[in-house]
Amino acid sequence: MKVAVEGCCHGALDAIYQQIQTLESRNKYKVDLLLICGDFQAIRNHRDLQCMAVPQKYRQLGDFHKYYTGEKAAPILTIVIGGNHEASNYFWELYHGGWLAPNIYFLGHAGCVQVNGIRIAGASGIFKNHDFRQGHHERMPYDHGSMRSIYHVREYNIRRLSLLSKPDIFLSHDWPQSIEQHGDVQGLLRRKPFFRQDINSGNLGSPPLMGLLQTLRPNWWFSAHLHVRFEAIVRHGHGNQVSGESGPPVAPANPDEISILDEDSDEASAIPQGASPTKEAAAVARNPEEINLDNEEEDDVEPPPRLVISPSETKFIALDKCLPRREFLEIVDIPLPSDTPQVAVGQIIPRLTYDPEWLAISRAFDQYFNTTCHQAAYPDEATARERVSEALDWVQENIVRKSSSEDRKLPLLVGGCQLFVQTAPGPGSEGNAKFQQPPWYTNPQTVAFCDMLGIENRINPPPTTQD
């Protein structure tokens, strides 16, 4: 299967799809699947913009609303995760995952699905230690703090993801902490010298994500966020990991790179309010292309314990944002299971299905989902895995075996449960409320997902039953 992987989208869907079609025509191949690693910006209307944590000058509708309203159709099955510049209200509606628009699927705050048997897992958002161990307490209307904390990764989701068996692909917005040590560090610093301080202190990237990488050991790991293309190979089960000096060099420019002819609107950076002199000095070395927000200091946390399994490799690729002359697109070939349906030689029919193991994890861990700042204690790993095993039996009995016989090979087609429904209007209907945050929407896809698993919908229940 030919998979296109995109770094930061920033609402540029038209350009991404158009240029993929150009690549297909030029190279005589067909891209079967598009993966987008965050900052997707699923903006349905101007009111959604009021829930995106960016300075006012970056609050632009982008292209997504055309795919949401049906004005345009996504030509490729597209799976996305969230970053730190999103319409967080819409992503919250689909916390467990769901269709953002026809043929565009959000993996959720954390999730795992399958496309023709290829397992794709991912984590949305970025890491901040001060929110990591909290529950999902944010409620609309968001204030200055909750508009940012809502996209901060929670321990709840890292623990759930750590219980997965090996996925083929993992998507994250953040880089795993110290991943640069498994590639050409000096080459990275020549292009991004302002990374030096974080690299020297071991603070570049997310500690929980490196813990997941070492635990899950996926074949591929794709990230974005830092607006640079970077390759690394993490070798598992060989004692000490490879150092930056012995890692692979950064590849030459990707011949499949997209070049989009519009203005390069680099983001501003700013020193966080109330920062100490030390942090003010450090802020000068920050990425000048990243949108810098208040309350976004870098923190530290211990990663999850690493499992001991057989030797393998994880190929890591980080990608840039969608702008001219930037390396933001990668085309990779992922082997399919031998029984994958094809309509002709070399032509794939992409089929998105639930992952039964992730459904079991979602059911087993639902009791630990918390909608307050306080997070209840988690079970130890042995207990957690036992509960997931019990939940998997339930999933097999109540979902898989009750699926239609005609889809027996792929019995959990997402479209059989979650059907795309517009919950908010498109742009042009906001009136005088254009610059106000939108109302609470109950998303039927979340209702359907919770009903399927027999869990309570605490994400967006009807307003009369809200907390």
Side-chain angles (χ1 to χ4, degrees):
M1 175 179 281
K2 282 205 176 292
V3 179
V5 186
E6 155 71 27
C8 294
C9 174
H10 292 289
L13 274 176
D14 286 353
I16 293 168
Y17 288 137
Q18 178 58 50
Q19 294 299 329
I20 288 177
Q21 291 174 0
T22 299
L23 293 176
E24 291 176 328
S25 177
R26 179 192 306 161
N27 297 298
K28 309 303 181 187
Y29 58 54
K30 173 67 177 173
V31 172
D32 305 297
L33 175 66
L34 171 62
L35 307 176
I36 298 180
C37 298
D39 284 358
F40 179 73
Q41 298 183 0
I43 310 297
R44 300 168 292 184
N45 54 45
H46 290 89
R47 298 188 75 175
D48 280 350
L49 285 173
Q50 312 313 311
C51 298
M52 186 166 71
V54 295
Q56 187 64 42
K57 66 178 180 178
Y58 298 116
R59 289 185 173 174
Q60 301 172 356
L61 278 178
D63 300 330
F64 172 77
H65 66 92
K66 292 177 283 190
Y67 298 86
Y68 176 78
T69 60
E71 178 184 342
K72 290 191 173 184
I76 306 168
L77 175 60
T78 303
I79 297 176
V80 311
I81 59 167
N84 57 315
H85 303 310
E86 306 288 6
S88 294
N89 59 315
Y90 191 22
F91 277 3
W92 178 257
E93 280 185 37
L94 295 171
Y95 178 89
H96 295 295
W99 297 105
L100 296 168
N103 222 27
I104 302 176
Y105 191 82
F106 174 47
L107 202 53
H109 280 225
C112 181
V113 295
Q114 297 184 26
V115 177
N116 294 27
I118 295 173
R119 302 185 77 213
I120 302 168
S124 293
I126 62 172
F127 169 75
K128 296 296 169 185
N129 188 48
H130 51 269
D131 291 318
F132 183 63
R133 293 185 174 86
Q134 292 191 353
H136 288 286
H137 57 84
E138 296 84 2
R139 290 292 178 274
M140 294 182 66
Y142 303 131
D143 59 20
H144 177 86
S146 61
M147 193 180 295
R148 289 150 178 78
S149 65
I150 191 170
Y151 58 72
H152 292 163
V153 172
R154 299 307 208 269
E155 183 181 13
Y156 173 75
N157 286 322
I158 297 298
R159 283 181 176 268
R160 290 198 298 158
L161 288 165
S162 72
L163 295 170
L164 280 169
S165 53
K166 179 186 176 97
D168 298 292
I169 296 170
F170 197 97
L171 307 178
S172 68
H173 192 60
D174 260 348
W175 293 19
Q177 185 185 45
S178 300
I179 190 69
E180 76 282 354
Q181 299 303 318
H182 303 271
D184 182 5
V185 180
Q186 296 308 314
L188 178 62
L189 285 171
R190 283 193 295 272
R191 287 172 293 159
K192 300 288 183 178
F194 37 83
F195 288 179
R196 185 175 301 277
Q197 180 170 330
D198 282 342
I199 288 174
N200 290 343
S201 62
N203 289 326
L204 188 72
S206 163
L209 289 182
M210 177 51 78
L212 280 179
L213 188 153
Q214 293 173 327
T215 297
L216 300 180
R217 303 184 177 194
N219 297 327
W220 296 89
W221 189 297
F222 300 110
S223 297
H225 190 42
L226 298 184
H227 297 166
V228 62
R229 187 184 186 280
F230 182 73
E231 285 188 10
I233 295 180
V234 180
R235 297 183 172 91
H236 308 290
H238 294 281
N240 294 332
Q241 301 297 328
V242 293
S243 66
E245 289 72 23
S246 60
V250 173
N254 182 359
D256 289 342
E257 172 64 18
I258 295 176
S259 177
I260 298 175
L261 300 177
D262 58 9
E263 294 300 317
D264 186 339
S265 56
D266 287 341
E267 297 88 341
S269 64
I271 298 172
Q273 295 179 0
S276 66
T278 299
K279 289 186 176 179
E280 288 173 359
V284 176
R286 294 181 67 122
N287 184 348
E289 296 171 353
E290 176 61 14
I291 300 173
N292 189 26
L293 304 172
D294 298 344
N295 192 30
E296 295 292 352
E297 299 87 3
E298 297 299 325
D299 297 291
D300 199 7
V301 71
E302 287 296 320
R306 175 179 171 181
L307 298 178
V308 178
I309 57 177
S310 60
S312 61
E313 289 184 348
T314 295
K315 300 175 184 68
F316 173 84
I317 301 178
L319 295 162
D320 207 332
K321 60 181 175 179
C322 184
L323 283 174
R325 299 171 298 281
R326 306 289 274 267
E327 297 177 294
F328 59 86
L329 184 74
E330 191 80 12
I331 307 293
V332 297
D333 289 300
I334 308 292
L336 285 172
S338 59
D339 59 350
T340 299
Q342 298 189 10
V343 297
V345 175
Q347 188 171 350
I348 307 298
I349 306 172
R351 303 183 78 181
L352 178 64
T353 64
Y354 294 114
D355 184 87
E357 186 181 42
W358 181 252
L359 295 182
I361 291 169
S362 298
R363 177 177 165 85
F365 251 61
D366 179 67
Q367 62 184 298
Y368 304 105
F369 182 85
N370 203 297
T371 56
T372 69
C373 287
H374 174 72
Q375 176 61 56
Y378 296 106
D380 59 55
E381 183 176 350
T383 302
R385 291 190 179 278
E386 180 181 355
R387 291 176 181 172
V388 170
S389 178
E390 294 171 355
L392 185 56
D393 290 341
W394 185 94
V395 167
Q396 293 290 343
E397 181 65 30
N398 293 276
I399 300 177
V400 175
R401 292 174 187 170
K402 291 183 179 180
S403 300
S404 106
S405 58
E406 63 191 40
D407 279 324
R408 187 58 62 189
K409 285 187 177 180
L410 295 169
L412 299 173
L413 287 169
V414 170
C417 172
Q418 292 178 290
L419 300 175
F420 170 70
V421 176
Q422 290 187 28
T423 51
S429 60
E430 302 94 336
N432 294 331
K434 185 174 182 178
F435 297 107
Q436 299 174 11
Q437 291 188 29
W440 171 290
Y441 296 111
T442 297
N443 198 304
Q445 295 186 70
T446 298
V447 173
F449 184 90
C450 293
D451 287 348
M452 177 178 68
L453 288 184
I455 61 178
E456 180 184 356
N457 176 17
R458 285 169 286 173
I459 302 303
N460 50 12
T464 55
T465 64
Q466 286 186 55
D467 294 337

